[in-house]
Amino acid sequence: MRRAGTLLLTACTAAAALTALAVTPAVAQGRTAAGPDGLDRCTGTAPVVCHFDVAPGTYRVRVLLGGVEAGSTAVTAETRRAVLAETPNAAGETLRRSFTVDVREPEGEPTGPAGSPGLDLAFGGTAPRLAALRVERVRTPQILLAGDSTVCDQPGEPYSGWGQQLPQYLTDRLSVANYADSGESSQTFRDNPALFPALRARIHRGDLVLIQLAHNDKQTDRATYRANLTAMIEDVRAEGGRPVLVTPIVRRWFNTDGTLDNGTALIVNGLGVDLPAEARTLAAEQDTPLVDLTALTRARVEELGPEASKALYLYNEKRDNTHTSTRGATEYAALVLGELRAQQLLAPRTVR
């Protein structure tokens, strides 16, 4: 993926080490020269699409939003990752915001299409107003995600994974590297070099690694499932990371009494293995933090009931009771964030 003002955002000193950005000028509207406000790398009005030719890495993006007219701007990066929630400005008001983007190849799901090289940003929302932007390469603490299609950076509407929505809740002091991939079980995620081995190579001391794998363990026996999660916990710790087990989101599968108290909804597999229960037990045994997303999403879906809860999933669009809509993924990302904060796994200055 690839408007108006000339005010350059000033670089400020941050706790994370900054590396001066060496950028090969991107072609935008037939030009190759880099302008002082970064807008020569952008085109369009709604959305405004910007492209920077940068190498894989973590980048802080500082933006100036607003201007003469009132507006409201939301930002996505790379493969539809939400990095800044809808931000309104009054007429004559300008706002400074910043966020980080993990640039990698492939840019979305690790086994999916490569996407475009470099950094892609889309400034959308109801009335986008982009006045200036600046990109810097940085090194920040990370949250790395291991998961399936309910977590991943989904390439197209109307699908969205909760990991795709998580960055918008974080400040520019923390980045998200989403290695979740559609169709993966605990075994296939461990075995594929593009998945857990690639994620493990990215871990720095203190990084959080969230592991949600269960939906595709349909015929995985109890011992194998526990062994796979245990191996990932141990490997994360060996790299200095902090593993966190996340139980899977529920399927929207109601009983006649309006509850989700059944194996389909609560991810009990074909062998009768209660996968969320195994993750809870293993987390206690391994002294590993747990985000019980199964319990949290069950409570939310049952609260909304059979009709209103359809909007969290893709029932109306696809008759799909497993995969989430943008709304559902956004709500579920907020649930994950809330648990990480409650357990003091995130520094206060890393959360918006």
Side-chain angles (χ1 to χ4, degrees):
M1 290 179 291
R2 311 263 197 204
R3 163 184 128 113
T6 57
L7 181 58
L8 174 63
L9 300 186
T10 317
C12 64
T13 303
L18 298 184
T19 302
L21 177 64
V23 180
T24 302
V27 177
Q29 299 175 317
R31 295 176 290 165
T32 57
D37 57 13
L39 299 182
D40 63 316
R41 303 171 189 219
C42 305
T43 186
T45 57
V48 181
V49 180
C50 308
H51 176 76
F52 292 83
D53 288 333
V54 297
T58 302
Y59 292 86
R60 175 177 290 122
V61 181
R62 307 181 195 275
V63 299
L64 187 69
L65 305 176
V68 175
E69 299 178 350
S72 186
T73 309
V75 188
T76 59
E78 299 293 85
T79 305
R80 304 175 57 242
R81 299 179 215 155
V83 292
L84 187 66
E86 189 100 6
T87 303
N89 70 275
E93 179 186 28
T94 55
L95 303 168
R96 298 177 187 271
R97 296 291 186 269
S98 58
F99 48 84
T100 59
V101 181
D102 176 53
V103 176
R104 62 181 185 273
E105 298 175 2
E107 66 177 28
E109 294 181 86
T111 66
S116 60
L119 169 61
D120 298 306
L121 302 169
F123 294 80
T126 56
R129 301 284 184 263
L130 173 62
L133 75 164
R134 178 171 179 166
V135 175
E136 304 165 300
R137 187 162 187 170
V138 297
R139 178 172 171 178
T140 67
Q142 304 175 102
I143 298 178
L144 299 107
L145 304 179
D148 53 35
S149 58
T150 66
V151 186
C152 74
D153 289 347
Q154 289 280 0
E157 295 283 359
Y159 295 89
S160 182
W162 64 255
Q164 199 164 19
Q165 300 299 325
L166 186 61
Q168 66 186 297
Y169 294 113
L170 305 174
T171 71
D172 63 1
R173 296 172 180 269
L174 186 63
S175 64
V176 176
N178 191 352
Y179 280 82
D181 196 70
S182 294
E184 306 299 340
S185 68
S186 61
Q187 190 70 61
T188 63
F189 196 89
R190 278 190 64 203
D191 292 345
N192 191 326
L195 300 175
F196 188 74
L199 179 156
R200 182 178 180 180
R202 291 279 306 274
I203 298 172
H204 295 109
R205 182 164 298 279
D207 286 346
L208 285 175
V209 180
L210 310 189
I211 303 167
Q212 185 213 279
L213 290 160
H215 274 280
N216 299 302
D217 283 275
K218 296 178 174 67
Q219 295 297 320
T220 305
D221 62 71
R222 175 181 179 273
T224 300
Y225 184 67
R226 288 173 56 88
N228 287 334
L229 294 187
T230 299
M232 284 187 273
I233 289 170
E234 292 174 347
D235 288 347
V236 169
R237 286 176 172 160
E239 301 299 335
R242 296 181 292 156
V244 179
L245 291 184
V246 182
T247 61
I249 69 169
V250 293
R251 294 190 180 97
R252 187 193 154 277
W253 198 268
F254 280 92
N255 298 324
T256 56
D257 63 359
T259 71
L260 300 181
D261 190 14
N262 61 78
T264 299
L266 301 181
I267 325 298
V268 177
N269 75 8
L271 300 181
V273 181
D274 185 333
L275 298 169
E278 293 302 330
R280 295 181 191 110
T281 300
L282 187 62
E285 293 173 358
Q286 295 287 327
D287 194 22
T288 300
L290 175 79
V291 173
D292 196 344
L293 196 53
T294 307
L296 292 168
T297 56
R298 176 184 180 179
R300 179 57 175 152
V301 172
E302 289 184 341
E303 174 190 27
L304 289 175
E307 189 59 36
S309 64
K310 291 177 180 178
L312 299 180
Y313 291 80
L314 297 176
Y315 179 86
N316 293 325
E317 299 87 347
K318 305 283 186 179
R319 295 297 187 267
D320 186 335
N321 290 310
T322 298
H323 297 97
T324 47
S325 63
T326 297
R327 174 185 162 182
T330 302
E331 288 199 21
Y332 291 177
L335 293 176
V336 172
L337 181 78
E339 279 298 294
L340 296 178
R341 295 184 70 178
Q343 297 182 45
Q344 299 182 335
L345 296 171
L346 292 176
R349 297 180 71 183
T350 63
V351 180
R352 293 190 188 278

